[in-house]
Amino acid sequence: QIAVRACFLGFAFGCGVLLGAGRSAWRHFGWYMCSLSLFHYSEYLVTAINNPRSLSLDSFLLNHSFEYNLAALSSWVEFTLEKLLFPELKQITWLSTVGLLMVIFGDCLRKAAMLTAGSNFNHIVQNEKSDTHTLVTSGVYGWFRHPSYVGWFYWSIGTQVLLCNPICLVGYALASWRFFRERIEEEEITLIHFFGEEYLEYKRKVPSGLPFIKGVKLEL
């Protein structure tokens, strides 16, 4: 099953390269295919390097949630319909380039966060502290408290800028912001429970990294 998923992502990446390297009207969608397949494959790869004990088929994040899959499908439908109705909208190369840069930045930031956190990183919020669990505040964690979420946030929005999808751009921004606001509050309750005053001090000094999200409002 791992090989099937990896081969599928590799095939999608190859198709994206062929589309993106050409001059067809689907060139920007090819860039998107490369970005999407590389994101999911690298999620599994970095988890295998960092924390193999937590590795599973879910580490690809292909089945992240019904909402995630619905959002992806919606972006494909919007791109196709707008390409048929307003083809000039999908040929704004400078805007797609901005989106591609956002995607690259977001994915690199997320992977840097995963590598910096090492075995402390997990795709699932942990409710019990393990013996090796430490509070990571160095590297990109010195910039943002939640760099992996910041990276994913701008990656997801960047995919819609890349596709020149105005409707999904707004939808992705709102849905992602709400998801990460709730996820950060849930995670920070656990981190305060794990590390107490050490995390509260870190929280006071370092921003969450996401706009208008300050995290859980809780004091010891």
Side-chain angles (χ1 to χ4, degrees):
Q1 292 183 358
I2 293 172
V4 169
R5 284 164 173 75
C7 287
F8 169 75
L9 291 172
F11 176 76
F13 183 86
C15 291
V17 169
L18 292 176
L19 286 175
R23 290 292 178 179
S24 73
W26 292 88
R27 180 173 58 151
H28 298 154
F29 194 82
W31 296 1
Y32 166 81
M33 288 180 66
C34 290
S35 303
L36 186 66
S37 55
L38 185 60
F39 172 83
H40 285 287
Y41 180 78
S42 59
E43 285 290 311
Y44 185 90
L45 179 62
V46 175
T47 302
I49 294 171
N50 261 4
N51 194 4
R53 288 181 299 178
S54 69
L55 193 65
S56 69
L57 285 173
D58 293 340
S59 299
F60 282 109
L61 295 186
L62 287 171
N63 56 340
H64 178 269
S65 65
F66 171 78
E67 292 79 9
Y68 179 81
N69 294 333
L70 181 61
L73 179 61
S74 299
S75 71
W76 306 341
V77 171
E78 180 183 352
F79 181 89
T80 303
L81 291 177
E82 289 176 352
K83 181 180 177 299
L84 294 174
L85 298 174
F86 314 104
E88 67 281 356
L89 179 64
K90 303 304 178 182
Q91 301 301 315
I92 309 176
T93 300
W94 71 265
L95 185 59
S96 291
T97 301
V98 170
L100 182 61
L101 292 175
M102 290 177 65
V103 164
I104 293 172
F105 165 77
D107 202 7
C108 288
L109 178 60
R110 179 169 172 82
K111 297 312 183 292
M114 293 172 69
L115 290 170
T116 302
S119 61
N120 292 288
F121 185 90
N122 199 301
H123 284 122
I124 301 173
V125 176
Q126 301 297 291
N127 295 317
E128 295 184 6
K129 183 181 179 183
S130 67
D131 294 337
T132 59
H133 202 167
T134 59
L135 179 61
V136 181
T137 60
S138 60
V140 291
Y141 286 86
W143 308 346
F144 313 118
R145 293 200 309 276
H146 303 279
S148 66
Y149 296 159
V150 175
W152 196 347
F153 179 77
Y154 286 107
W155 175 87
S156 67
I157 296 175
T159 61
Q160 300 313 298
V161 176
L162 192 163
L163 292 175
C164 300
N165 279 352
I167 297 174
C168 280
L169 173 60
V170 174
Y172 270 49
L174 294 176
S176 296
W177 185 88
R178 180 178 179 180
F179 171 79
F180 287 120
R181 183 195 63 182
E182 295 174 355
R183 182 70 175 257
I184 284 173
E185 289 181 355
E186 176 188 357
E187 186 171 302
E188 289 195 341
I189 290 174
T190 300
L191 289 170
I192 291 171
H193 176 69
F194 285 177
F195 302 107
E197 185 60 37
E198 183 183 5
Y199 185 79
L200 289 174
E201 181 64 23
Y202 172 62
K203 186 176 183 296
R204 283 191 285 267
K205 292 180 179 179
V206 180
S208 71
L210 290 168
F212 309 111
I213 296 180
K214 298 184 181 297
V216 66
K217 296 179 181 179
L218 179 66
E219 298 290 339
L220 288 179

